[in-house]
């Protein structure tokens, strides 16, 4: 999955303000751009108390800049209006970017409180810009004569993009409706922040507590020891604490031999945010859904999904509903066939029970072992973290794009486990700085994501500082970090996002890096996953952490042969979440239900995906993608992007695979272009035609073959 610091829709300068910062920021390291290479943040100097003064000053300064643009007595021109807006807000961008990234990766109670305080203020700040009638008049005047301005293609697209942003932000509303919109936006910002914080706190509070080692049978001795240590840290001496991650399925379910323990772990995972208590999200969900529906109605749309999708490559709800609907039935049918295979193993072992969600991962590993004669634990010794990163992810980037990497220890980090690398282009010039934050922490949000601290822009003379975040459990001191196959794929996936950011070669910050539609942004990262099992790459990193012996070819062959295995489950859990996301956001204000769980259950039934052994990947009350704002009405984007990805993988195979000429073409035609053109035009320029769906159906085993 991609995540960046909340932006206001405008792009802001990363350069030092021409005017001196306000006196209130004296001694504040956020006041001016960092003097470290590429303006890398001075994490060692930034304190929690620096953020609120910097936020307030940043908003005040940008409003002054915007006022000067709006009230300029000179006739509107591209330079004095659009370019001037691109250069505005340097301080606010810096503080908002650093704060947003740290609040996701290394939060604490103070940062959470700041987030709660600032979210509605930042929403109001954005409204003050987009709903400024004089500023809108200048943008509109330029837009109406855009063909006569003789702008280059990127500049013309920027003007068009600004016009769209203003219209979608409500610039055409009456004064009274603008006031209503401002109130709604502030409310949504406050509610989204509350939802996000509840999810993290509930996840941390919802770990499984057991009394004996025997209840955790099947987990490794090291993992059980870690559970004992985690329990002791919580004041539960003599007990064992198993943390949960923010998906319905939990990794230990594949290992635990005690069915009662599996049932307890699955039940607490599925109940998060919906069983009462201070972190219950049910009422928050209803308020968010209603506020978003009201916003869409005010702006003239049928529902929030219609509003959101208009600005994506999918464009409308009908297109998304069609894609998801076409896949739902074959996916569930495949899942039911897989369930029958699992049930056969249970019956052969005289288990005496019917397969449910808590059993799926455990018995899937058994069927996998029978069918392909291996299980996931056979792979892990060959997937040591450093080998995966340096000799896998970086190696593939070198072969495909000519990149080289050099770790540096002199730059400050916000956590001792964070690593920093200089990234050099094929000609030896430095391209970017890459931050690798791989381990899970209680104060780090779940999942995996990429963000940028500094975005590339030739207008501003800036280069990329990008970060990847994973949530790999940290082993006890002295033990190696051994990854699952899914964690390896995730490392390659997130680095695909990083490449998209690092390769950016645009003029305007509004278009930098991953500033593309949400249902397009996952596409390049998904393409990068292909190199994880590419023979040349895998042979370079998949080596036993003790002996250095390469992964046996027969094991690799089994891994590749099993790629379609369990696709019924994987597709169904994803589709269920995607369909829920759409169902919530295709409601009008009057249709908002009163019971979250009842609505969820009925929706899954109506859509034909109510198969109890395969719950949605995210249930509503911990569905951060949907209700924290980033992928609201947009969780389908992974599947939409995968259609492009699967077709692109075929292109690489047709053209010889991991070759510099292929990487250079992909970089030139697509990765470097950011948001400078319509996303599907970029795909067509790369591929030579529109995408086809057959490679995706084949990949997911939905062709009936």
């Amino acid at each position: 999955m991609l995540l960046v610091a909340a932006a206001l829709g405008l792009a802001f300068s990363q350069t030092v303000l021409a005017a001196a910062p306000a006196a209130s920021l004296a001694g504040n390291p956020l006041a001016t751009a960092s003097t470290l290479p590429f303006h890398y943040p001075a994490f060692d100097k930034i304190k929690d108390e620096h953020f609120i003064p910097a936020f307030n000053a940043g908003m005040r300064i940008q409003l002054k800049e915007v006022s000067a643009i709006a009230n300029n007595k000179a006739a509107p021109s591209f330079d004095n209006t659009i370019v001037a807006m691109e250069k505005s807000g340097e301080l606010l961008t810096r503080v908002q970017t650093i704060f947003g990234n740290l609040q996701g990766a290394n939060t604490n109670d103070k940062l959470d409180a700041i987030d709660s305080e600032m979210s509605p203020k930042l929403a109001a700040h954005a409204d003050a810009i987009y709903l400024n009638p004089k500023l809108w008049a200048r943008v509109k005047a330029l837009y109406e004569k855009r063909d006569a301005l003789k702008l280059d293609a990127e500049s013309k697209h920027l003007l068009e993009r600004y016009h769209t942003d203003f219209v979608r932000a409500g610039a055409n509303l009456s004064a009274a409706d603008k006031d209503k919109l401002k109130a709604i936006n502030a409310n949504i910002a406050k509610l989204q922040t509350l939802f996000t914080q509840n999810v993290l706190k509930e996840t941390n509070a919802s770990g499984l507590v057991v009394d004996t080692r025997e209840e955790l049978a099947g987990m490794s001795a090291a993992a059980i020891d870690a559970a004992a240590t985690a329990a002791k840290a919580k004041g539960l001496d003599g007990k064992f604490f198993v943390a949960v991650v923010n998906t319905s399925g939990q990794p230990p379910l594949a290992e635990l031999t005690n069915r009662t323990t599996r049932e307890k772990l699955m039940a607490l995972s599925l109940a998060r945010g919906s069983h009462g208590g201070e972190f219950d999200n049910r009422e928050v969900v209803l308020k968010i859904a209603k506020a978003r529906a009201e916003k869409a109605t005010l702006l003239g749309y049928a529902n929030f999904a219609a509003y959101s999708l208009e600005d994506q490559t999918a464009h409308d709800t009908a297109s998304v509903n069609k894609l998801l609907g076409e896949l739902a039935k074959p996916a569930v049918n495949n899942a039911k066939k897989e369930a029958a295979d699992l049930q056969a193993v249970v019956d052969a072992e005289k288990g005496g029970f019917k397969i449910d969600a808590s059993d799926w991962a455990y018995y899937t590993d058994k069927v996998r072992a029978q069918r392909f004669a291996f299980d996931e634990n056979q792979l892990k010794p060959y997937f040591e973290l450093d080998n995966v990163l340096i000799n896998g992810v970086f190696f593939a980037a070198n072969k495909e794009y000519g990149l080289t990497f050099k770790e540096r220890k002199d730059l400050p980090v916000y956590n001792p486990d964070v690593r920093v690398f200089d990234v050099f282009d094929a000609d030896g010039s430095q391209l970017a700085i890459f931050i690798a934050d791989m381990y899970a922490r209680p104060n780090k949000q779940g999942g995996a994501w990429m963000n940028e601290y500094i975005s590339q822009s030739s207008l501003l003379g800036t280069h990329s500082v990008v970060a990847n975040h994973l949530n790999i459990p940290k082993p006890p001191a002295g033990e190696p970090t051994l990854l699952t196959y899914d964690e390896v794929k995730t490392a390659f996936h997130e680095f695909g996002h990083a490449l998209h950011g690092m390769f950016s070669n645009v003029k305007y910050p509004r278009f930098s890096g991953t500033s593309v539609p949400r249902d397009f942004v996952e596409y390049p990262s998904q393409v990068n996953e292909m190199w994880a099992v590419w023979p040349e790459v895998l042979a370079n990193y998949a080596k036993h952490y003790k002996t250095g012996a390469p992964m046996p070819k027969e094991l690799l062959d089994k891994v590749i042969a099993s790629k379609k295995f369990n696709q019924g489950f994987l597709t169904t859990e994803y589709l269920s979440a995607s369909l829920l996301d759409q169902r919530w956001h295709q409601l009008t204000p009057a249709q908002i239900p009163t019971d979250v769980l009842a609505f969820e259950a009925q929706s899954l039934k109506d859509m034909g995906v109510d198969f109890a052994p395969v719950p949605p990947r995210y249930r509503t009350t911990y569905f951060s993608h949907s209700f924290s704002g980033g992928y609201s009405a947009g969780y389908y984007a992974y599947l939409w992007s995968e259609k492009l990805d699967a077709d692109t993988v075929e292109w690489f195979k047709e053209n010889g695979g991991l070759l510099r000429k292929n990487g250079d073409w992909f970089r030139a035609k697509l990765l470097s272009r950011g948001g400078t053109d319509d996303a599907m035009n970029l795909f067509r320029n790369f591929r030579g035609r529109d995408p086809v769906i057959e490679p995706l159906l084949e990949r997911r085993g939905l062709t009936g073959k």
Side-chain angles (χ1 to χ4, degrees), residues 626-643:
S626 183
F627 289 97
S628 293
Y631 279 73
S632 49
Y635 193 61
Y636 77 94
Y638 291 91
L639 190 61
W640 192 275
S641 292
E642 192 181 351
K643 176 181 175 181

Side-chain angles (χ1 to χ4, degrees), residues 313 500 516-517 519-527 639-652 654-655 665-696 699:
T313 63
H500 201 178
V516 297
D519 55 5
F520 192 81
V521 74
E522 295 296 335
Y523 153 52
S525 57
Q526 289 173 332
V527 170
L639 190 61
W640 192 275
S641 292
E642 192 181 351
K643 176 181 175 181
L644 309 181
D645 153 40
D647 199 6
T648 298
V649 168
E650 292 305 307
W651 179 89
F652 272 100
E654 292 165 4
N655 287 277
W665 179 259
F666 193 40
R667 174 178 177 174
K669 294 296 182 180
L670 197 143
L671 294 180
S672 65
R673 298 291 309 283
T676 58
D677 195 358
D678 177 83
M680 293 310 296
N681 283 343
L682 296 179
F683 179 88
R684 295 183 194 99
N685 291 340
F686 159 71
R687 190 66 169 100
R689 57 165 171 75
D690 285 329
V692 296
I693 199 170
E694 285 74 16
L696 171 62
R699 172 188 290 185

Side-chain angles (χ1 to χ4, degrees), residues 386-705:
D386 204 53
N387 265 340
V388 171
L389 181 63
I390 305 299
N391 299 319
V393 174
F394 290 174
F395 174 80
N398 173 261
K399 288 292 183 180
E400 188 180 11
Y401 303 109
L403 300 185
T404 54
F405 303 81
K406 183 178 180 181
E407 188 165 9
R408 56 189 305 170
K409 306 285 190 178
D410 59 316
L411 292 177
V413 292
Y414 53 84
N415 183 281
D417 291 329
V418 173
R419 303 171 70 180
V420 183
F421 298 84
D422 283 336
V423 185
F424 298 95
D425 217 333
D427 63 2
S429 63
Q430 187 169 355
L431 178 70
I433 294 177
F434 174 68
I435 299 171
D437 180 359
M438 299 301 191
Y439 289 116
R441 294 183 293 276
N443 66 339
K444 184 180 183 182
Q445 71 178 29
W449 69 97
M450 168 268 199
N451 59 30
E452 291 188 80
Y453 285 93
I454 305 293
S455 299
Q456 178 274 332
S457 164
S458 64
L459 177 70
L460 308 177
T462 52
H463 301 274
S464 297
V465 177
V466 303
N468 276 174
H469 305 270
L470 276 66
N471 265 283
I472 299 166
K474 189 177 181 180
E479 295 289 324
T481 303
L482 304 180
L483 309 189
T484 65
Y485 178 53
D486 283 344
E487 287 167 340
V488 171
K489 288 200 303 180
T490 299
F492 278 84
H493 175 101
E494 295 305 329
F495 197 72
H497 284 307
L499 290 170
H500 201 178
M502 292 189 291
F503 284 150
S504 177
N505 186 21
V506 303
K507 181 175 182 180
Y508 301 110
R510 174 65 176 80
F511 293 145
S512 183
T514 55
S515 299
V516 297
R518 187 175 48 220
D519 55 5
F520 192 81
V521 74
E522 295 296 335
Y523 153 52
S525 57
Q526 289 173 332
V527 170
N528 206 58
E529 291 180 30
M530 72 178 292
W531 307 123
V533 293
W534 195 260
E536 181 184 2
V537 179
L538 192 131
N540 198 61
Y541 78 87
K543 299 177 181 179
H544 198 284
Y545 76 99
K546 286 184 177 178
T547 67
M551 180 183 287
K553 183 178 184 301
E554 56 269 24
L555 183 57
L556 173 60
D557 289 344
K558 291 171 184 175
V559 173
I560 294 174
S562 71
K563 287 177 72 174
K564 293 181 186 177
F565 180 71
N566 206 37
Q567 279 296 324
F569 171 89
L570 294 172
T571 306
T572 299
E573 70 157 4
Y574 169 77
L575 280 174
S576 298
S578 300
L579 288 162
L580 275 179
D581 177 41
Q582 288 301 312
R583 188 67 176 255
W584 277 109
H585 290 107
Q586 290 183 25
L587 298 172
T588 67
Q591 293 172 330
I592 302 300
T594 57
D595 187 324
V596 169
L597 300 187
F599 178 80
E600 178 181 278
Q602 188 62 49
S603 296
L604 295 174
K605 183 177 180 180
D606 291 345
M607 297 179 292
V609 290
D610 57 331
F611 184 43
V614 186
R617 181 169 176 80
Y618 301 97
R619 293 194 70 189
T620 299
T621 52
Y622 50 89
F623 198 171
S624 295
H625 287 76
S626 183
F627 289 97
S628 293
Y631 279 73
S632 49
Y635 193 61
Y636 77 94
Y638 291 91
L639 190 61
W640 192 275
S641 292
E642 192 181 351
K643 176 181 175 181
L644 309 181
D645 153 40
D647 199 6
T648 298
V649 168
E650 292 305 307
W651 179 89
F652 272 100
K653 291 177 179 178
E654 292 165 4
N655 287 277
L658 189 64
L659 300 175
R660 272 292 304 281
K661 69 178 182 69
N662 291 340
D664 288 347
W665 179 259
F666 193 40
R667 174 178 177 174
K669 294 296 182 180
L670 197 143
L671 294 180
S672 65
R673 298 291 309 283
T676 58
D677 195 358
D678 177 83
M680 293 310 296
N681 283 343
L682 296 179
F683 179 88
R684 295 183 194 99
N685 291 340
F686 159 71
R687 190 66 169 100
R689 57 165 171 75
D690 285 329
V692 296
I693 199 170
E694 285 74 16
L696 171 62
L697 298 177
E698 174 66 23
R699 172 188 290 185
R700 286 190 171 258
L702 301 178
T703 60
K705 295 181 181 178

